[in-house]
Amino acid sequence: MKKGKSNTKEYSNSGESIISGAEAVIRSLLSEEVELLYGYPGGAIMPVYDELFKYRDKLNHILVRHEQGATHAAQGYARASGKVGVVIATSGPGATNLVTGITDAQIDSTPLVCITGQVASHLLGSDAFQETDIIGISTPVTKWNYQITKASEIPLILAKAFYIAKSGRPGPVLIDITKDAQFEKFKFSYKKCDGIRSYFPKPQLGDEILNKASKLINKAKKPLIVFGQGVILGEAEKELKKFVEKSGIPSAWTILGLSALPTSHPLNVGMVGMHGNYAPNVLTNQCDVLLAIGMRFDDRVTGDLKTYAKQAKVLHFEIDPSEINKNVKVDIEILGDCKESLSKLTPLIKNKEYPDWIKQFKDLEKIEIDKVINEDLNPKKNGLTMGETISAVNKYTKGDAIIVTDVGQHQMVACRYSEFIKSKSNITSGGLGTMGFALPAAIGAKMGAPEREVIAIIGDGGYQMTIQELGTIFQNKLPVKILVLNNEFLGMVRQWQQLFFDKRYAETEMVNPDFVAIAKGYYIKANRVENRKDLDRSIKEMILSKEPYFLEICVEKEDNVFPMIPSGESVSNIRLE
């Protein structure tokens, strides 16, 4: 954020002044302590951009190259910083280009406030130039949305927007502002929102349910914890660690839960889900008590619901009542903020150890190491593997970097093998699975946590969906590291075609451009690795660079990611080959 004395009069929340709706938008953002926002100007939002110009020493605007990039960058910022990401765009195509990122944020519970311009109110419904009903379009994929047609609504609605976006289960909010409301003058004052009638973001936690849960946990013989992103969103990492260590319960994670507990923790037993680790997937169907903490039983985690953990008593720690019994029927629902739930439950449970149960995880882990991991990390084949690339990254980051991934094989490999010692270190598109997410999200992550190394690990397919954001990196001189694992295929789709469609590789082979030349065209230092002897040195050079750096790793074209649970099958049917 730029510092210095403003060229305009100071804003104040204490008094009232007559200002335009456009200036009210900027003052409202400053009142919410917004430091930066991501956007792209256009006609219907131009009055706000004109006021933004006057306040540019207080509010840092990042000009992206496509509005979808703005939403993903704001997601990366929110996920790395724990703050609300802010996006601004014009009407029509500017607004509709936000929809993919907004949907991604909705499914992955990322707090965003998106502000769009709209045609003047007297033109609404007339099919005016660049008029689109963004309220109707975005209603299914936002936590809340609202169209402002009067300037006087701006402070109240924006205050509500920030409160709704960040409270309870976070999510995206969209506010659409007509052009005449941006020009209209009114008496401005701002008050932050701290509550809305009939909206209860944090369920009240009852002592009776905690006592019931503790009794069940204390009697368990083979308990298993599966934790998700709710732990990170609730800032409950310390509480989780304390609970895990006192209970002695082996703990697995969903993709979005990764990094909430250090990957090296002795009770961290790995990832569940379609490409998760062998032991936690198989033993999900053998545990007697399953504690689901801040996760929503996504289908990629559960596989066939008819066979998922039917032998277990299920305890669900969840802040959103709509998630309870939605996919998996639970025995005890612990509604509330998991930070509070875990801190109150921990004193009620016994100090325990489960040596025989833990041994089962270790025995299955050895099978996975022998059949999958050794070949991924120490391959005998001539070609480079994705796994050994991630291992080389770990060598130089020491688990301290933020890893941002796109969607596909590289994502699964990065989640399986990346090492993390801090929370908020794994940023990826989970529920929506958005190709093109990683490059702009890495921009936001670097700005949300500038003191940390940020490495975007991307496949050659997803990279080309938002490759234009190299321009944003160049213009803002952001030292983001970009690592493209190039197998010249849409790798995950190709893997399915190989395994389930008799190797009919329909439209999955990529004819790629010269990625190094493109990066250099944006004045970003770039390199390509084709041989194993160059891998370690090149990774080290990339990570030690103080500037943006692009590194292309040419990996095996037909490598597969295992283990794998075939779609719709039981987690017990996980394949190692």
Side-chain angles (χ1 to χ4, degrees):
M1 180 177 174
K2 298 175 183 177
K3 303 291 182 183
K5 190 173 181 181
S6 172
N7 295 322
T8 62
K9 60 182 180 291
E10 294 293 320
Y11 72 97
S12 171
N13 296 332
S14 55
E16 294 183 341
S17 53
I18 305 296
I19 62 172
S20 69
E23 186 173 3
V25 171
I26 304 303
R27 287 204 189 187
S28 298
L29 294 178
L30 291 170
S31 297
E32 290 290 342
E33 301 174 18
V34 173
E35 298 175 332
L36 59 85
L37 65 160
Y38 301 88
Y40 205 96
I45 198 66
M46 204 173 294
V48 171
Y49 269 89
D50 188 55
E51 292 298 332
L52 183 61
F53 182 82
K54 301 172 188 176
Y55 284 87
R56 63 190 183 279
D57 60 341
K58 289 187 170 68
L59 192 56
N60 188 11
H61 175 277
I62 303 301
L63 176 65
V64 296
R65 298 306 187 261
H66 189 284
E67 291 89 352
Q68 181 180 343
T71 52
H72 294 327
Q75 286 178 274
Y77 173 82
R79 299 263 290 273
S81 68
K83 300 176 182 178
V84 177
V86 182
V87 176
I88 185 167
T90 193
S91 63
T96 57
N97 281 344
L98 301 179
V99 172
T100 296
I102 291 172
T103 308
D104 195 289
Q106 173 79 340
I107 296 177
D108 284 354
S109 304
T110 306
L112 299 185
V113 170
C114 300
I115 298 168
T116 53
Q118 185 55 274
V119 301
S121 54
H122 72 279
L123 293 174
L124 290 172
S126 70
D127 291 333
F129 177 68
Q130 290 193 335
E131 181 197 359
T132 299
D133 179 13
I134 194 61
I135 295 298
I137 291 170
S138 66
T139 293
V141 295
T142 51
K143 192 175 177 183
W144 183 59
N145 63 15
Y146 189 90
Q147 186 174 75
I148 293 175
T149 57
K150 297 291 182 183
S152 58
E153 295 180 292
I154 289 171
L156 175 64
I157 296 303
L158 283 179
K160 282 186 175 182
F162 277 89
Y163 176 70
I164 291 170
K166 65 187 176 185
S167 60
R169 179 181 181 177
V173 171
L174 184 137
I175 306 301
D176 194 44
I177 309 175
T178 60
K179 197 167 185 179
D180 52 324
Q182 296 172 49
F183 282 119
E184 186 182 6
K185 304 275 188 175
F186 76 109
K187 189 178 288 186
F188 174 82
S189 65
Y190 194 88
K191 181 182 179 183
K192 286 189 178 183
C193 180
D194 59 7
I196 299 172
R197 188 177 66 180
S198 77
Y199 170 55
F200 306 103
K202 183 179 172 182
Q204 189 170 354
L205 186 65
D207 291 337
E208 184 180 339
I209 202 72
L210 293 176
N211 288 327
K212 185 178 178 182
S214 65
K215 289 177 182 177
L216 188 58
I217 294 167
N218 288 334
K219 290 178 181 178
K221 304 296 183 185
K222 297 193 293 185
L224 174 64
I225 291 171
V226 177
F227 61 88
Q229 189 187 203
V231 173
I232 298 171
L233 294 173
E235 298 181 341
E237 295 92 341
K238 290 181 181 177
E239 287 76 13
L240 174 68
K241 186 170 181 285
K242 189 175 180 181
F243 180 83
V244 168
E245 290 175 348
K246 184 178 181 182
S247 69
I249 300 175
S251 301
W253 35 270
T254 68
I255 283 179
L256 294 183
L258 174 56
S259 84
L261 188 70
T263 50
S264 60
H265 194 284
L267 288 171
N268 187 330
V269 294
M271 180 169 76
V272 291
M274 180 171 282
H275 290 284
N277 293 105
Y278 190 52
N281 274 303
V282 170
L283 296 179
T284 293
N285 280 357
Q286 295 182 33
C287 67
D288 60 355
V289 174
L290 178 63
L291 293 82
I293 304 176
M295 56 86 79
R296 60 186 180 86
F297 291 113
D298 176 75
D299 64 293
R300 285 294 175 100
V301 167
T302 65
D304 181 13
L305 285 170
K306 294 177 182 177
T307 62
Y308 183 78
K310 290 302 179 182
Q311 79 295 335
K313 297 290 186 182
V314 179
L315 287 71
H316 197 176
F317 297 70
E318 177 59 57
I319 199 167
D320 182 356
S322 70
E323 293 292 347
I324 301 292
N325 294 317
K326 184 175 81 173
N327 295 326
V328 172
K329 182 172 175 54
V330 304
D331 296 278
I332 298 178
E333 54 188 68
I334 304 175
L335 272 173
D337 179 90
C338 62
K339 186 180 185 74
E340 181 185 0
S341 302
L342 290 171
S343 63
K344 289 187 174 181
L345 182 58
T346 300
L348 304 178
I349 62 170
K350 297 176 181 177
N351 277 296
K352 294 186 76 173
E353 293 181 355
Y354 300 91
D356 294 338
W357 178 227
I358 295 292
K359 186 178 182 299
Q360 289 185 245
F361 284 88
K362 296 294 184 185
D363 290 344
L364 292 177
E365 182 186 23
K366 288 177 183 176
I367 295 173
E368 183 179 350
I369 289 172
D370 290 341
K371 295 204 170 201
V372 177
I373 295 175
N374 281 340
E375 183 56 29
D376 281 350
L377 302 187
N378 303 290
K380 298 180 181 67
K381 61 186 75 170
N382 292 327
L384 288 164
T385 68
M386 293 177 282
E388 68 181 310
T389 304
I390 303 304
S391 182
V393 170
N394 290 333
K395 178 179 175 180
Y396 293 105
T397 63
K398 308 296 184 186
D400 196 31
I402 294 175
I403 303 296
V404 186
T405 52
D406 219 82
V407 172
Q409 287 181 315
H410 72 278
Q411 176 193 34
M412 296 296 104
V413 172
C415 288
R416 282 174 52 79
Y417 295 124
S418 292
E419 296 172 359
F420 296 116
I421 59 174
K422 293 180 181 176
S423 185
K424 297 186 178 73
S425 293
N426 175 59
I427 297 176
T428 193
S429 173
L432 191 62
T434 304
M435 292 178 68
F437 171 87
L439 187 61
I443 291 171
K446 186 62 183 176
M447 302 188 82
E451 75 287 354
R452 299 189 66 188
E453 192 72 63
V454 174
I455 304 171
I457 299 176
I458 320 176
D460 50 309
Y463 179 58
Q464 294 178 82
M465 288 194 170
T466 50
I467 195 172
Q468 69 276 357
E469 298 308 331
L470 290 174
T472 307
I473 292 172
F474 162 62
Q475 181 170 341
N476 293 277
K477 298 178 173 60
L478 295 168
V480 172
K481 312 301 168 59
I482 306 155
L483 184 62
V484 167
L485 302 181
N486 182 6
N487 58 11
E488 298 182 343
F489 268 108
L490 299 176
M492 188 60 81
V493 183
R494 185 213 57 76
Q495 178 169 333
W496 281 51
Q497 289 173 332
Q498 176 186 338
L499 298 176
F500 307 116
F501 294 88
D502 297 325
K503 293 189 177 183
R504 292 187 294 275
Y505 295 158
E507 301 303 323
T508 47
E509 188 166 6
M510 305 284 287
V511 179
N512 289 320
D514 186 336
F515 290 130
V516 170
I518 291 171
K520 288 181 176 178
Y522 283 98
Y523 305 98
I524 294 171
K525 190 171 183 180
N527 194 10
R528 177 185 293 111
V529 174
E530 298 179 8
N531 299 303
R532 185 165 288 118
K533 64 183 177 60
D534 300 319
L535 179 64
D536 187 89
R537 172 188 55 78
S538 299
I539 295 285
K540 181 180 180 180
E541 181 179 312
M542 176 190 73
I543 292 174
L544 292 180
S545 174
K546 301 299 182 185
E547 300 175 351
Y549 196 112
F550 171 85
L551 183 61
E552 176 186 4
I553 309 291
C554 299
V555 297
E556 284 276 323
K557 291 188 67 171
E558 296 186 71
D559 250 3
N560 289 329
V561 182
F562 287 105
M564 179 182 184
I565 303 168
S567 181
E569 291 196 19
S570 169
V571 294
S572 301
N573 293 341
I574 186 167
R575 294 172 54 172
L576 290 168
E577 55 189 12

